[in-house]
Amino acid sequence: MTMVTRKIVPYTLLVLLSLVFAAPLLWLLSTSLKSKDQLFVTKPLYFPSAPRWQNYADVFQTIDFVRLSANTLLVTLLTVAGLLISAPLVAYATSHIEWRGKKPLFAVVLATLLLPYQVTMVPLYIVWSKLGAIGTYVPLVLPAFLSAGAGYYVFLMRQFFMTIPNSLVQAARIDGASEFRIYAQIMLPLCKPVIATVGVLVFLSTWSDFLGPLLYLNDESTYTLSLGLYAFMQTHYVEWEQLMAASAMFTVPIIVLFFLAQKQFIEGIALTGIKG
Amino acid sequence: MPPGAGTVHRMEDGKMRRKANLTGLLFSAPFILGLLVFTLYPTGASLVYSFSDFNLFKPLTWVGLDNYKWIFQEKEVAKSILNTLYMVVLATPVSLIAGLLTAQLLNLKVRGQSIFRTFFYIPSIVPVIASSLVWMWVLNPKSGLINSLLDLVGLRGPNWLLDAAWTKPSLILMTAWGSGGVMIIFLAALQDVPRSLYESAEIDGAGAVRKFFSITLPSISPIILFQLVMNLIVYFQYFAQAFMLASLTNSGADQTMAGPEKSLLFYAILLYREAFVDFRMGHASAMAWVLFLITALVTWLVFRSSRRWVTYGGD
């Protein structure tokens, strides 16, 4: 292969594939700016010459977009906070404390990865409904504070914690530092990368979560964006321009987060040591 | 050594160990509490429910194996299992292969790598409801992006989400589009393959294809195993995307959540419907346990087979 083909072939492929991957999102954008009668223009490359920004404003009239966003943000931030408080604790206990439960507990963490959420879904729903918590955010948020159902994140953190030399911890112990101080002042600062990565991953999955809100929220004023958009689609399924505008507004924060936290998204995955 | 020093040491050791055990327990306490309340209790309860007729509004009555018999006799369950296997068997390799190929292309160290990487990755983080809506519109038989492109070259595209024969291929297409998460992990793995391996292969005159199969694949085989297991689990539990498309395809809401000719009735959707639409929680719990057993069995089989195809490097 000559130098030229060696460079041109991958480039052409990359550019073409990028277009393919971007096409649905560009289509979303162009639809969100179309007027009603432009919706069914069957020209794939058609981009409205006079973009109708009014569609975005209309979304705020049709649904309470501000409220939905605030609800979603509240649930997401509480979940991220809960998990980032509770998961590093158990990650530390299964990596740097020499106690009886160190290995068995880590085996349990791995075992929970195999448990389908469907197994716990029904009994948990019954418990929450008996406690009168249906319709509140408690069932969505409280489990995160106990790292429940978060085996994968605990696993990622623990793998990273393992890469911190135990001699650091031992030296601090000999100096008489309390275990909590070692954890808070030595371990956590060293493990910032994985904490940031898990934070971003949890943010992402909670922001987009559909099943949780579908099960537990029953009043429109408490809906999150996923559920709100789903309900919107059920009643306004002909208003594609508005649906696309709403979808765009739902997706943009995620894309912004990606650009802000690109390092955590991409390098974090390499750091977490799932590589073998 | 003065007499008794050993005993003192042993006492010290014992004290230290007790202290360590207590510290370990304290640090794990939130997790253990969560495990008991949100995992172990419901898992046990679910097993009990699976042998009973039960829902929120009526007390529990023991029905023995009836729910499991129902699973093996009910036609809809069989249909949902076939639909689910379709996704497991096709979507898993499609997302792994798409993810690996895009990662391999990116790993050629071309200029602008991070821009291309962004293009491939972003679709995988678009919220499910948004991506479902976008694809319903992209796949619209009349004015959707794909069929209007096909129209340009004089082809008539299928009815996609409205045609039972095309609903699952549509989902596979969406899977390939969303393979960025798989890609990112593969890319990290590819970047870790030692350059020296490729260099010595080049000296031996190995071509690109040969290098891919004899160096790249074995080097990243532990990651392939990890991704294979994670994706198999995901598709056995396949829910959100299909649920949206199944309950929204027709004009607005579709209470059966099954799609055209039940072609989108996946196991997890039927389970949800049994539990929360028809309130047959015994059925749903038995289905959940069958799913659990299948997941565990398949994972075990994959790990067993992995001894033959996964190589763990010396480093």
Side-chain angles (χ1 to χ4, degrees), chain B residues 286-312:
Chain B
M287 285 185 78
W289 269 84
V290 169
L291 180 65
F292 184 18
L293 295 178
I294 292 176
T295 311
L297 179 71
V298 170
T299 309
W300 179 73
L301 285 174
V302 170
F303 270 104
R304 235 180 81 111
S305 82
S306 73
R307 278 183 228 149
R308 254 169 285 148
W309 58 270
V310 173
T311 43
Y312 289 96

PDB file of all heavy atoms in Angstrom, chain B residues 286-312:
ATOM      1  N   ALA B 286     -41.952 -14.901  38.714  1.00  0.00           N
ATOM      2  CA  ALA B 286     -41.427 -16.149  38.155  1.00  0.00           C
ATOM      3  C   ALA B 286     -40.617 -15.837  36.896  1.00  0.00           C
ATOM      4  O   ALA B 286     -39.534 -16.395  36.691  1.00  0.00           O
ATOM      5  CB  ALA B 286     -42.569 -17.107  37.832  1.00  0.00           C
ATOM      6  N   MET B 287     -41.127 -14.923  36.067  1.00  0.00           N
ATOM      7  CA  MET B 287     -40.379 -14.545  34.856  1.00  0.00           C
ATOM      8  C   MET B 287     -39.022 -13.957  35.222  1.00  0.00           C
ATOM      9  O   MET B 287     -38.015 -14.236  34.579  1.00  0.00           O
ATOM     10  CB  MET B 287     -41.174 -13.510  34.034  1.00  0.00           C
ATOM     11  CG  MET B 287     -42.337 -14.080  33.271  1.00  0.00           C
ATOM     12  SD  MET B 287     -43.131 -12.809  32.223  1.00  0.00           S
ATOM     13  CE  MET B 287     -41.971 -12.743  30.835  1.00  0.00           C
ATOM     14  N   ALA B 288     -39.003 -13.137  36.284  1.00  0.00           N
ATOM     15  CA  ALA B 288     -37.743 -12.517  36.704  1.00  0.00           C
ATOM     16  C   ALA B 288     -36.733 -13.573  37.129  1.00  0.00           C
ATOM     17  O   ALA B 288     -35.548 -13.494  36.797  1.00  0.00           O
ATOM     18  CB  ALA B 288     -37.991 -11.524  37.835  1.00  0.00           C
ATOM     19  N   TRP B 289     -37.223 -14.597  37.850  1.00  0.00           N
ATOM     20  CA  TRP B 289     -36.301 -15.647  38.299  1.00  0.00           C
ATOM     21  C   TRP B 289     -35.778 -16.475  37.143  1.00  0.00           C
ATOM     22  O   TRP B 289     -34.612 -16.870  37.132  1.00  0.00           O
ATOM     23  CB  TRP B 289     -36.946 -16.511  39.385  1.00  0.00           C
ATOM     24  CG  TRP B 289     -36.609 -15.912  40.710  1.00  0.00           C
ATOM     25  CD1 TRP B 289     -37.266 -14.896  41.330  1.00  0.00           C
ATOM     26  CD2 TRP B 289     -35.467 -16.207  41.508  1.00  0.00           C
ATOM     27  NE1 TRP B 289     -36.623 -14.543  42.477  1.00  0.00           N
ATOM     28  CE2 TRP B 289     -35.511 -15.344  42.617  1.00  0.00           C
ATOM     29  CE3 TRP B 289     -34.422 -17.112  41.415  1.00  0.00           C
ATOM     30  CZ2 TRP B 289     -34.536 -15.360  43.614  1.00  0.00           C
ATOM     31  CZ3 TRP B 289     -33.452 -17.142  42.405  1.00  0.00           C
ATOM     32  CH2 TRP B 289     -33.516 -16.266  43.493  1.00  0.00           C
ATOM     33  N   VAL B 290     -36.655 -16.744  36.161  1.00  0.00           N
ATOM     34  CA  VAL B 290     -36.186 -17.482  34.978  1.00  0.00           C
ATOM     35  C   VAL B 290     -35.111 -16.661  34.267  1.00  0.00           C
ATOM     36  O   VAL B 290     -34.060 -17.181  33.865  1.00  0.00           O
ATOM     37  CB  VAL B 290     -37.378 -17.809  34.042  1.00  0.00           C
ATOM     38  CG1 VAL B 290     -36.884 -18.328  32.702  1.00  0.00           C
ATOM     39  CG2 VAL B 290     -38.290 -18.831  34.714  1.00  0.00           C
ATOM     40  N   LEU B 291     -35.344 -15.354  34.171  1.00  0.00           N
ATOM     41  CA  LEU B 291     -34.356 -14.473  33.535  1.00  0.00           C
ATOM     42  C   LEU B 291     -33.023 -14.510  34.283  1.00  0.00           C
ATOM     43  O   LEU B 291     -31.945 -14.580  33.684  1.00  0.00           O
ATOM     44  CB  LEU B 291     -34.894 -13.031  33.505  1.00  0.00           C
ATOM     45  CG  LEU B 291     -33.992 -11.974  32.885  1.00  0.00           C
ATOM     46  CD1 LEU B 291     -33.783 -12.239  31.408  1.00  0.00           C
ATOM     47  CD2 LEU B 291     -34.584 -10.579  33.077  1.00  0.00           C
ATOM     48  N   PHE B 292     -33.118 -14.469  35.607  1.00  0.00           N
ATOM     49  CA  PHE B 292     -31.928 -14.512  36.457  1.00  0.00           C
ATOM     50  C   PHE B 292     -31.133 -15.797  36.180  1.00  0.00           C
ATOM     51  O   PHE B 292     -29.914 -15.767  35.947  1.00  0.00           O
ATOM     52  CB  PHE B 292     -32.376 -14.449  37.926  1.00  0.00           C
ATOM     53  CG  PHE B 292     -31.261 -14.395  38.933  1.00  0.00           C
ATOM     54  CD1 PHE B 292     -29.977 -14.029  38.576  1.00  0.00           C
ATOM     55  CD2 PHE B 292     -31.529 -14.695  40.271  1.00  0.00           C
ATOM     56  CE1 PHE B 292     -28.962 -13.970  39.522  1.00  0.00           C
ATOM     57  CE2 PHE B 292     -30.517 -14.638  41.215  1.00  0.00           C
ATOM     58  CZ  PHE B 292     -29.232 -14.284  40.840  1.00  0.00           C
ATOM     59  N   LEU B 293     -31.852 -16.925  36.168  1.00  0.00           N
ATOM     60  CA  LEU B 293     -31.176 -18.203  35.966  1.00  0.00           C
ATOM     61  C   LEU B 293     -30.536 -18.261  34.578  1.00  0.00           C
ATOM     62  O   LEU B 293     -29.400 -18.713  34.423  1.00  0.00           O
ATOM     63  CB  LEU B 293     -32.156 -19.364  36.159  1.00  0.00           C
ATOM     64  CG  LEU B 293     -32.687 -19.489  37.588  1.00  0.00           C
ATOM     65  CD1 LEU B 293     -33.684 -20.634  37.711  1.00  0.00           C
ATOM     66  CD2 LEU B 293     -31.527 -19.691  38.579  1.00  0.00           C
ATOM     67  N   ILE B 294     -31.265 -17.764  33.568  1.00  0.00           N
ATOM     68  CA  ILE B 294     -30.705 -17.780  32.211  1.00  0.00           C
ATOM     69  C   ILE B 294     -29.455 -16.902  32.140  1.00  0.00           C
ATOM     70  O   ILE B 294     -28.430 -17.306  31.603  1.00  0.00           O
ATOM     71  CB  ILE B 294     -31.760 -17.309  31.180  1.00  0.00           C
ATOM     72  CG1 ILE B 294     -32.879 -18.346  31.085  1.00  0.00           C
ATOM     73  CG2 ILE B 294     -31.118 -17.116  29.805  1.00  0.00           C
ATOM     74  CD1 ILE B 294     -34.019 -17.937  30.171  1.00  0.00           C
ATOM     75  N   THR B 295     -29.550 -15.702  32.724  1.00  0.00           N
ATOM     76  CA  THR B 295     -28.397 -14.787  32.714  1.00  0.00           C
ATOM     77  C   THR B 295     -27.186 -15.450  33.373  1.00  0.00           C
ATOM     78  O   THR B 295     -26.077 -15.412  32.832  1.00  0.00           O
ATOM     79  CB  THR B 295     -28.720 -13.493  33.484  1.00  0.00           C
ATOM     80  OG1 THR B 295     -29.969 -12.992  33.024  1.00  0.00           O
ATOM     81  CG2 THR B 295     -27.662 -12.438  33.260  1.00  0.00           C
ATOM     82  N   ALA B 296     -27.426 -16.054  34.542  1.00  0.00           N
ATOM     83  CA  ALA B 296     -26.318 -16.678  35.257  1.00  0.00           C
ATOM     84  C   ALA B 296     -25.731 -17.825  34.438  1.00  0.00           C
ATOM     85  O   ALA B 296     -24.503 -17.958  34.318  1.00  0.00           O
ATOM     86  CB  ALA B 296     -26.797 -17.183  36.616  1.00  0.00           C
ATOM     87  N   LEU B 297     -26.603 -18.626  33.837  1.00  0.00           N
ATOM     88  CA  LEU B 297     -26.149 -19.772  33.046  1.00  0.00           C
ATOM     89  C   LEU B 297     -25.309 -19.311  31.850  1.00  0.00           C
ATOM     90  O   LEU B 297     -24.208 -19.818  31.601  1.00  0.00           O
ATOM     91  CB  LEU B 297     -27.354 -20.581  32.564  1.00  0.00           C
ATOM     92  CG  LEU B 297     -27.021 -21.800  31.707  1.00  0.00           C
ATOM     93  CD1 LEU B 297     -26.391 -22.889  32.560  1.00  0.00           C
ATOM     94  CD2 LEU B 297     -28.263 -22.332  31.004  1.00  0.00           C
ATOM     95  N   VAL B 298     -25.837 -18.326  31.123  1.00  0.00           N
ATOM     96  CA  VAL B 298     -25.118 -17.857  29.931  1.00  0.00           C
ATOM     97  C   VAL B 298     -23.774 -17.242  30.320  1.00  0.00           C
ATOM     98  O   VAL B 298     -22.749 -17.501  29.681  1.00  0.00           O
ATOM     99  CB  VAL B 298     -25.988 -16.852  29.134  1.00  0.00           C
ATOM    100  CG1 VAL B 298     -25.171 -16.171  28.047  1.00  0.00           C
ATOM    101  CG2 VAL B 298     -27.170 -17.579  28.514  1.00  0.00           C
ATOM    102  N   THR B 299     -23.775 -16.448  31.401  1.00  0.00           N
ATOM    103  CA  THR B 299     -22.516 -15.849  31.848  1.00  0.00           C
ATOM    104  C   THR B 299     -21.501 -16.937  32.192  1.00  0.00           C
ATOM    105  O   THR B 299     -20.331 -16.872  31.801  1.00  0.00           O
ATOM    106  CB  THR B 299     -22.759 -14.967  33.084  1.00  0.00           C
ATOM    107  OG1 THR B 299     -23.835 -14.076  32.784  1.00  0.00           O
ATOM    108  CG2 THR B 299     -21.534 -14.162  33.431  1.00  0.00           C
ATOM    109  N   TRP B 300     -21.981 -17.966  32.895  1.00  0.00           N
ATOM    110  CA  TRP B 300     -21.106 -19.068  33.283  1.00  0.00           C
ATOM    111  C   TRP B 300     -20.542 -19.753  32.034  1.00  0.00           C
ATOM    112  O   TRP B 300     -19.332 -20.025  31.946  1.00  0.00           O
ATOM    113  CB  TRP B 300     -21.899 -20.052  34.152  1.00  0.00           C
ATOM    114  CG  TRP B 300     -21.106 -21.246  34.591  1.00  0.00           C
ATOM    115  CD1 TRP B 300     -20.120 -21.255  35.542  1.00  0.00           C
ATOM    116  CD2 TRP B 300     -21.221 -22.575  34.105  1.00  0.00           C
ATOM    117  NE1 TRP B 300     -19.622 -22.530  35.670  1.00  0.00           N
ATOM    118  CE2 TRP B 300     -20.281 -23.365  34.803  1.00  0.00           C
ATOM    119  CE3 TRP B 300     -22.027 -23.203  33.153  1.00  0.00           C
ATOM    120  CZ2 TRP B 300     -20.109 -24.723  34.580  1.00  0.00           C
ATOM    121  CZ3 TRP B 300     -21.886 -24.555  32.931  1.00  0.00           C
ATOM    122  CH2 TRP B 300     -20.935 -25.316  33.632  1.00  0.00           C
ATOM    123  N   LEU B 301     -21.411 -20.001  31.047  1.00  0.00           N
ATOM    124  CA  LEU B 301     -20.956 -20.663  29.822  1.00  0.00           C
ATOM    125  C   LEU B 301     -19.906 -19.819  29.099  1.00  0.00           C
ATOM    126  O   LEU B 301     -18.897 -20.350  28.623  1.00  0.00           O
ATOM    127  CB  LEU B 301     -22.141 -20.931  28.883  1.00  0.00           C
ATOM    128  CG  LEU B 301     -23.055 -22.080  29.284  1.00  0.00           C
ATOM    129  CD1 LEU B 301     -24.262 -22.159  28.357  1.00  0.00           C
ATOM    130  CD2 LEU B 301     -22.282 -23.407  29.264  1.00  0.00           C
ATOM    131  N   VAL B 302     -20.169 -18.500  29.043  1.00  0.00           N
ATOM    132  CA  VAL B 302     -19.214 -17.628  28.351  1.00  0.00           C
ATOM    133  C   VAL B 302     -17.865 -17.653  29.070  1.00  0.00           C
ATOM    134  O   VAL B 302     -16.817 -17.795  28.437  1.00  0.00           O
ATOM    135  CB  VAL B 302     -19.754 -16.181  28.255  1.00  0.00           C
ATOM    136  CG1 VAL B 302     -18.665 -15.238  27.751  1.00  0.00           C
ATOM    137  CG2 VAL B 302     -20.953 -16.116  27.333  1.00  0.00           C
ATOM    138  N   PHE B 303     -17.898 -17.566  30.401  1.00  0.00           N
ATOM    139  CA  PHE B 303     -16.644 -17.594  31.139  1.00  0.00           C
ATOM    140  C   PHE B 303     -15.913 -18.917  30.953  1.00  0.00           C
ATOM    141  O   PHE B 303     -14.703 -18.969  30.832  1.00  0.00           O
ATOM    142  CB  PHE B 303     -16.886 -17.315  32.631  1.00  0.00           C
ATOM    143  CG  PHE B 303     -16.817 -15.854  32.951  1.00  0.00           C
ATOM    144  CD1 PHE B 303     -17.970 -15.113  33.181  1.00  0.00           C
ATOM    145  CD2 PHE B 303     -15.592 -15.196  32.996  1.00  0.00           C
ATOM    146  CE1 PHE B 303     -17.916 -13.767  33.450  1.00  0.00           C
ATOM    147  CE2 PHE B 303     -15.529 -13.838  33.270  1.00  0.00           C
ATOM    148  CZ  PHE B 303     -16.684 -13.128  33.492  1.00  0.00           C
ATOM    149  N   ARG B 304     -16.683 -20.013  30.922  1.00  0.00           N
ATOM    150  CA  ARG B 304     -16.084 -21.323  30.734  1.00  0.00           C
ATOM    151  C   ARG B 304     -15.393 -21.400  29.376  1.00  0.00           C
ATOM    152  O   ARG B 304     -14.278 -21.879  29.262  1.00  0.00           O
ATOM    153  CB  ARG B 304     -17.167 -22.394  30.830  1.00  0.00           C
ATOM    154  CG  ARG B 304     -16.874 -23.458  31.849  1.00  0.00           C
ATOM    155  CD  ARG B 304     -17.997 -24.446  31.846  1.00  0.00           C
ATOM    156  NE  ARG B 304     -17.812 -25.381  30.741  1.00  0.00           N
ATOM    157  CZ  ARG B 304     -17.503 -26.658  30.920  1.00  0.00           C
ATOM    158  NH1 ARG B 304     -17.390 -27.133  32.137  1.00  0.00           N
ATOM    159  NH2 ARG B 304     -17.338 -27.453  29.895  1.00  0.00           N
ATOM    160  N   SER B 305     -16.114 -20.918  28.347  1.00  0.00           N
ATOM    161  CA  SER B 305     -15.536 -20.999  27.002  1.00  0.00           C
ATOM    162  C   SER B 305     -14.340 -20.067  26.883  1.00  0.00           C
ATOM    163  O   SER B 305     -13.447 -20.285  26.078  1.00  0.00           O
ATOM    164  CB  SER B 305     -16.578 -20.620  25.956  1.00  0.00           C
ATOM    165  OG  SER B 305     -16.661 -19.218  25.843  1.00  0.00           O
ATOM    166  N   SER B 306     -14.321 -19.032  27.740  1.00  0.00           N
ATOM    167  CA  SER B 306     -13.286 -18.004  27.587  1.00  0.00           C
ATOM    168  C   SER B 306     -11.890 -18.561  27.845  1.00  0.00           C
ATOM    169  O   SER B 306     -10.913 -18.030  27.361  1.00  0.00           O
ATOM    170  CB  SER B 306     -13.561 -16.834  28.529  1.00  0.00           C
ATOM    171  OG  SER B 306     -13.271 -17.212  29.851  1.00  0.00           O
ATOM    172  N   ARG B 307     -11.818 -19.661  28.598  1.00  0.00           N
ATOM    173  CA  ARG B 307     -10.496 -20.242  28.839  1.00  0.00           C
ATOM    174  C   ARG B 307      -9.812 -20.596  27.532  1.00  0.00           C
ATOM    175  O   ARG B 307      -8.603 -20.631  27.439  1.00  0.00           O
ATOM    176  CB  ARG B 307     -10.646 -21.524  29.671  1.00  0.00           C
ATOM    177  CG  ARG B 307     -10.782 -21.232  31.150  1.00  0.00           C
ATOM    178  CD  ARG B 307     -10.863 -22.524  31.920  1.00  0.00           C
ATOM    179  NE  ARG B 307     -11.972 -22.468  32.856  1.00  0.00           N
ATOM    180  CZ  ARG B 307     -12.682 -23.518  33.226  1.00  0.00           C
ATOM    181  NH1 ARG B 307     -12.422 -24.709  32.730  1.00  0.00           N
ATOM    182  NH2 ARG B 307     -13.665 -23.378  34.091  1.00  0.00           N
ATOM    183  N   ARG B 308     -10.644 -20.879  26.528  1.00  0.00           N
ATOM    184  CA  ARG B 308     -10.055 -21.289  25.252  1.00  0.00           C
ATOM    185  C   ARG B 308      -9.700 -20.102  24.358  1.00  0.00           C
ATOM    186  O   ARG B 308      -8.878 -20.219  23.485  1.00  0.00           O
ATOM    187  CB  ARG B 308     -11.026 -22.217  24.515  1.00  0.00           C
ATOM    188  CG  ARG B 308     -10.552 -23.665  24.552  1.00  0.00           C
ATOM    189  CD  ARG B 308     -11.625 -24.594  24.067  1.00  0.00           C
ATOM    190  NE  ARG B 308     -12.673 -24.769  25.057  1.00  0.00           N
ATOM    191  CZ  ARG B 308     -13.951 -24.976  24.767  1.00  0.00           C
ATOM    192  NH1 ARG B 308     -14.344 -25.009  23.519  1.00  0.00           N
ATOM    193  NH2 ARG B 308     -14.833 -25.149  25.722  1.00  0.00           N
ATOM    194  N   TRP B 309     -10.366 -18.955  24.541  1.00  0.00           N
ATOM    195  CA  TRP B 309     -10.086 -17.876  23.591  1.00  0.00           C
ATOM    196  C   TRP B 309      -9.584 -16.584  24.221  1.00  0.00           C
ATOM    197  O   TRP B 309      -9.230 -15.646  23.514  1.00  0.00           O
ATOM    198  CB  TRP B 309     -11.281 -17.611  22.678  1.00  0.00           C
ATOM    199  CG  TRP B 309     -12.562 -17.240  23.402  1.00  0.00           C
ATOM    200  CD1 TRP B 309     -13.524 -18.095  23.842  1.00  0.00           C
ATOM    201  CD2 TRP B 309     -13.019 -15.936  23.739  1.00  0.00           C
ATOM    202  NE1 TRP B 309     -14.535 -17.417  24.444  1.00  0.00           N
ATOM    203  CE2 TRP B 309     -14.263 -16.087  24.397  1.00  0.00           C
ATOM    204  CE3 TRP B 309     -12.512 -14.643  23.560  1.00  0.00           C
ATOM    205  CZ2 TRP B 309     -14.996 -14.990  24.873  1.00  0.00           C
ATOM    206  CZ3 TRP B 309     -13.243 -13.556  24.038  1.00  0.00           C
ATOM    207  CH2 TRP B 309     -14.474 -13.750  24.686  1.00  0.00           C
ATOM    208  N   VAL B 310      -9.545 -16.530  25.534  1.00  0.00           N
ATOM    209  CA  VAL B 310      -9.015 -15.309  26.155  1.00  0.00           C
ATOM    210  C   VAL B 310      -7.587 -15.548  26.611  1.00  0.00           C
ATOM    211  O   VAL B 310      -7.295 -16.539  27.271  1.00  0.00           O
ATOM    212  CB  VAL B 310      -9.879 -14.868  27.351  1.00  0.00           C
ATOM    213  CG1 VAL B 310      -9.221 -13.712  28.084  1.00  0.00           C
ATOM    214  CG2 VAL B 310     -11.246 -14.463  26.877  1.00  0.00           C
ATOM    215  N   THR B 311      -6.680 -14.641  26.205  1.00  0.00           N
ATOM    216  CA  THR B 311      -5.301 -14.761  26.654  1.00  0.00           C
ATOM    217  C   THR B 311      -4.991 -13.589  27.560  1.00  0.00           C
ATOM    218  O   THR B 311      -5.259 -12.443  27.211  1.00  0.00           O
ATOM    219  CB  THR B 311      -4.329 -14.727  25.460  1.00  0.00           C
ATOM    220  OG1 THR B 311      -4.765 -13.697  24.564  1.00  0.00           O
ATOM    221  CG2 THR B 311      -4.301 -16.047  24.731  1.00  0.00           C
ATOM    222  N   TYR B 312      -4.467 -13.907  28.742  1.00  0.00           N
ATOM    223  CA  TYR B 312      -4.076 -12.834  29.640  1.00  0.00           C
ATOM    224  C   TYR B 312      -2.583 -12.598  29.475  1.00  0.00           C
ATOM    225  O   TYR B 312      -1.787 -13.512  29.658  1.00  0.00           O
ATOM    226  CB  TYR B 312      -4.441 -13.193  31.081  1.00  0.00           C
ATOM    227  CG  TYR B 312      -5.927 -13.163  31.304  1.00  0.00           C
ATOM    228  CD1 TYR B 312      -6.674 -14.333  31.230  1.00  0.00           C
ATOM    229  CD2 TYR B 312      -6.576 -11.965  31.521  1.00  0.00           C
ATOM    230  CE1 TYR B 312      -8.048 -14.297  31.400  1.00  0.00           C
ATOM    231  CE2 TYR B 312      -7.941 -11.929  31.695  1.00  0.00           C
ATOM    232  CZ  TYR B 312      -8.671 -13.095  31.638  1.00  0.00           C
ATOM    233  OH  TYR B 312     -10.026 -13.063  31.801  1.00  0.00           O
TER     234      TYR B 312
END
